[in-house]
Amino acid sequence: MMHSIATIRFLFLFLFISTTKKSCSSIYGSNSAMMVTAFSTSTTSTRTQPQNTIRYRRRKPFVLNLSSEDKASMAQEEAAKLRELAARLRGEVSEFEQSKANAEKAVQAEQSKAQQEIVAKRERYSAEVPILKSDGSTVLERVDFPPRLGNGKSFIQAVQAPLPLGLILGEDETIPGAIRVDDIAEEGNGYAAGVKVGDLVRACTACQVIMETPTWQLLAGGIGQPKTKRFMYGTDGRPFEEVMDALGSNRMDPSGDNVWLVIEREEE
């Protein structure tokens, strides 16, 4: 009995081991085939996969073979372009120089116009009169007389006339310190010289007697000799009586020269 039980256990163990080996071999065998197939596939794919690399090819230099006629034509075209560019630049330079010259002419014209206006205004309100110098000589010089008539339409004029002038003067009622011609005798010298009623007397000649003593007379104790000097006397702002005395002093002129009058007159 004991012998038969051992025999059965042995047979059962043998069958279990055989079955286990078959199953393992079937499992591992399929896996091995899969691994081999996968390996072979991966190997094949690795071999057939293209490489991701960039390759540069050297290009041969491009050589343009031109004939002599083509070269001459290209040179002519280039020369024509350069001439055209030079002509355009010369035109621009000429235009710039012309505009600059025009601007300079315009500036000069404005300056000349302004200078002419200044000269015209000075000539309008000035006159040449005899001026006594320190050495006793008399020189004609242009003297300015700012206008006193406020309308801007007056002018200055110098006249000469011998005594008597035949003028009636008076103080102006609207301009303080101004002497105006109130009336004039038509047969008088003043009327003949061009003086008109309404003129302002701006200046006149006057005479003054002085004692002139040479140095040798001073050393000898002399008192000198009387001498009459003649000069221009401005009447603006001066007292009326003083102006009348200045005009009357021209009688003391030993040479008897004409009286100078500077008048301001409104334009008609």
Side-chain angles (χ1 to χ4, degrees), residues 74-149:
M74 292 179 63
Q76 291 178 359
E77 292 180 358
E78 188 67 23
K81 292 180 180 179
L82 291 176
R83 286 194 296 269
E84 182 180 357
L85 177 61
R88 186 170 70 252
L89 291 176
R90 286 195 297 270
E92 292 177 356
V93 171
S94 177
E95 183 178 356
F96 173 76
E97 290 179 351
Q98 185 64 32
S99 62
K100 183 179 179 181
N102 292 337
E104 291 178 353
K105 288 181 180 179
V107 172
Q108 292 177 358
E110 290 294 332
Q111 293 178 351
S112 177
K113 182 179 179 181
Q115 186 65 27
Q116 290 176 0
E117 290 178 355
I118 293 174
V119 172
K121 185 176 181 180
R122 187 171 190 272
E123 290 180 352
R124 185 182 184 90
Y125 295 107
S126 65
E128 286 188 350
V129 293
I131 300 299
L132 180 65
K133 297 297 182 179
S134 59
D135 58 355
S137 62
T138 302
V139 180
L140 284 177
E141 291 184 358
R142 182 166 291 275
V143 180
D144 297 326
F145 294 90
R148 301 202 68 185
L149 297 175

Side-chain angles (χ1 to χ4, degrees), residues 6-20:
T7 301
I8 292 169
R9 287 181 177 177
F10 176 75
L11 290 173
F12 179 77
L13 180 60
F14 178 76
L15 290 174
F16 176 76
I17 293 173
S18 298
T19 303
T20 304

Side-chain angles (χ1 to χ4, degrees), residues 15-68:
L15 290 174
F16 176 76
I17 293 173
S18 298
T19 303
T20 304
K21 287 182 178 181
K22 289 181 180 180
S23 63
C24 288
S25 64
S26 63
I27 293 171
Y28 288 110
S30 62
N31 290 336
S32 299
M34 292 175 64
M35 292 178 63
V36 171
T37 304
F39 177 75
S40 63
T41 303
S42 63
T43 304
T44 305
S45 63
T46 303
R47 290 178 180 177
T48 58
Q49 184 178 4
Q51 296 180 357
N52 295 326
T53 58
I54 300 175
R55 296 182 180 180
Y56 297 94
R57 294 181 181 180
R58 293 184 179 178
R59 295 184 179 181
K60 294 182 180 180
F62 178 75
V63 179
L64 181 61
N65 294 323
L66 298 175
S67 63
S68 59

